[in-house]
Amino acid sequence: MSRAFAPVTIGSWNLPQSFVMGPLTRNRAGAGNAPTQLNATYYAQRAGAGLIVTEGTAPSAVGQGYLNVPGLYTDAQVAGWRLVADAVHEQGGHIVAQLMHAGRIAHADNKDGAETISASAVRAPGEMVTANGRFPHDEPRALESEELAGVVADYVTAAQNAVIAGLDGVEIHSANGYLLHQFLDPTINLREDAHGGSPENRARLVVEVVTAVAEAIGAEKVGLRISPGHQFNGVGEEAGADMSATYAALVDAVAPLGLAYLSILASPLEPLKDLVADLRSRFGGPVLLNDGFGDVTSIDTVEELLATGLADAVVVGRQFLANPDLGARWEQGAELNEPDAATFYGGGAEGYTDYPTLEAS
Ligand SMILES: Cc1cc2nc3c(=O)[nH]c(=O)nc-3n(C[C@H](O)[C@H](O)[C@H](O)COP(=O)(O)O)c2cc1C
């Protein structure tokens, strides 16, 4: 029996099926990193997902990383997100903003010269695409202990802005090598203050952000995404006692808050099954699962992940990008549009709002 099409409740959202649209950076924000009508159309087309997690969205100018990524720290950005929220709600969907502070995965040219910061002054490998070409990531400045409360405050303001814009909540992005993951990773976080060293200390900033955001907008509107051991963007953390202790400390500290969900990217799931099971039991609330950037999630993957008993719902990325009516297609066993990687990151309507529905094709 299919579990994928069983309704599920995540937080306060009653969803028609047990898979949701995951966060997908698309680099198509308008002037001033504000969402546009084009972005509203894209998300509204995918409202059938039940719950949409938006592309990573910067909580502050300093937190911007990639080119043309939206923010939630100016009035124009809030107005842009209202277009998106209204359009998705008109189609009966729910949508939460993923708050992504890029930390060291950044270049000043993509943020009007704003500086790049991280847990420690450890430059990320690789390059950043800017309007002026490709450049190595900036060497980050290590945040001072006294500055961390300001980082937390920026997340709170952005989350409050999400609610003002009419969005249904936020997901705190602590995965994939961005700022909060940089604090968790012992190879990037070399701090000697209360936010470095032990697993509890490295988890502290994430806990502070999640707690403050939950207090500000209500825990039932807040999700958290983690990706233990995902060696992306120069992350060096490895499966083992330290990593398990770090994520256990994090999940133990946020579990009593009663968050909407914990979203775990385990890439691939197999070697991390025990850790995921442990984190799920520590968390006690709904868990979303995704098995990473390798194979594109298929309906079989969704069923397999649900059958493990480790997930209440599965996060689906690229197939939602390419198929606005993915649920209907999967349910009918219909053909799927192919995701076109050439148009993932930037551009206009092509490869964004022009993937046809079944009805239109
Ligand atoms: C184009 C693209 C952009 C992505 N952007 C984000 C992002 O902003 N935040 C995030 O947490 N994950 C991001 N991811 C990861 C996806 O959420 C998802 O975990 C990944 O694509 C694997 O799932 P899939 O096989 O269903 O696509 C991105 C992936 C792709 C392909």
Side-chain angles (χ1 to χ4, degrees):
M1 220 198 73
S2 166
R3 297 190 187 199
F5 298 98
V8 67
T9 300
I10 302 291
S12 52
W13 308 300
N14 297 319
L15 308 179
Q17 61 213 5
S18 299
F19 49 94
V20 305
M21 177 170 163
L24 295 160
T25 291
R26 303 304 311 275
N27 311 81
R28 284 166 168 87
N33 302 89
T36 64
Q37 187 56 53
L38 180 69
N39 306 137
T41 301
Y42 164 77
Y43 283 115
Q45 287 173 338
R46 289 157 178 77
L51 178 65
I52 295 172
V53 183
T54 72
E55 63 208 277
T57 298
S60 59
V62 169
Q64 290 281 0
Y66 302 108
L67 201 55
N68 301 327
V69 160
L72 257 169
Y73 52 88
T74 70
D75 290 345
Q77 292 162 358
V78 172
W81 281 115
R82 179 162 286 285
L83 293 176
V84 174
D86 288 350
V88 170
H89 291 154
E90 260 168 44
Q91 299 300 319
H94 307 277
I95 180 164
V96 299
Q98 188 188 52
L99 297 183
M100 171 172 98
H101 189 311
R104 68 180 192 154
I105 307 302
H107 193 282
D109 284 1
N110 288 350
K111 43 182 171 174
D112 296 326
E115 69 170 342
T116 291
I117 53 83
S118 184
S120 300
V122 181
R123 189 196 289 257
E127 294 183 327
M128 173 60 66
V129 175
T130 76
N132 307 313
R134 282 176 170 272
F135 297 102
H137 292 109
D138 286 336
E139 175 159 340
R141 179 178 68 78
L143 282 164
E144 301 288 341
S145 306
E146 307 75 56
E147 291 178 283
L148 295 175
V151 174
V152 174
D154 285 343
Y155 277 94
V156 168
T157 303
Q160 288 169 329
N161 284 341
V163 173
I164 291 169
L167 296 161
D168 296 288
V170 298
E171 175 178 289
I172 304 299
H173 193 356
S174 184
N176 302 348
Y178 300 103
L179 181 70
L180 296 179
H181 201 180
Q182 290 158 28
F183 271 80
L184 293 169
D185 180 352
T187 73
I188 301 174
N189 180 347
L190 312 176
R191 304 177 69 88
E192 292 176 350
D193 63 3
H195 289 81
S198 68
E200 289 76 12
N201 279 2
R202 279 180 277 117
R204 193 177 307 281
L205 183 65
V206 193
V207 173
E208 288 169 344
V209 167
V210 174
T211 304
V213 168
E215 271 171 18
I217 68 166
E220 75 289 352
K221 292 194 184 71
V222 182
L224 169 65
R225 192 175 212 201
I226 56 173
S227 61
H230 189 208
Q231 296 193 336
F232 185 68
N233 281 326
V235 164
E237 78 186 1
E238 285 179 358
D242 180 84
M243 189 175 96
S244 298
T246 304
Y247 284 91
L250 166 54
V251 172
D252 285 349
V254 300
L257 297 172
L259 298 178
Y261 64 82
L262 175 67
S263 180
I264 307 176
L265 189 151
S267 181
L269 176 63
E270 195 46 53
L272 293 170
K273 251 186 174 167
D274 290 349
L275 177 63
V276 171
D278 179 57
L279 297 179
R280 179 183 170 80
S281 85
R282 288 174 188 274
F283 183 63
V287 169
L288 310 186
L289 205 54
N290 178 268
D291 71 353
F293 290 62
D295 291 339
V296 173
T297 305
S298 65
I299 183 63
D300 293 341
T301 321
V302 173
E303 297 287 9
E304 278 163 27
L305 290 176
L306 292 171
T308 62
L310 297 175
D312 296 281
V314 172
V315 173
V316 179
R318 285 162 289 184
Q319 289 295 21
F320 262 122
L321 181 160
N323 295 278
D325 54 348
L326 181 65
R329 285 177 188 257
W330 271 349
E331 201 161 21
Q332 294 167 36
E335 266 201 50
L336 300 174
N337 300 320
E338 280 288 313
D340 173 16
T343 51
F344 279 180
Y345 303 108
E350 191 198 346
Y352 190 55
T353 51
D354 64 353
Y355 285 107
T357 59
L358 206 49
E359 216 177 327
S361 58

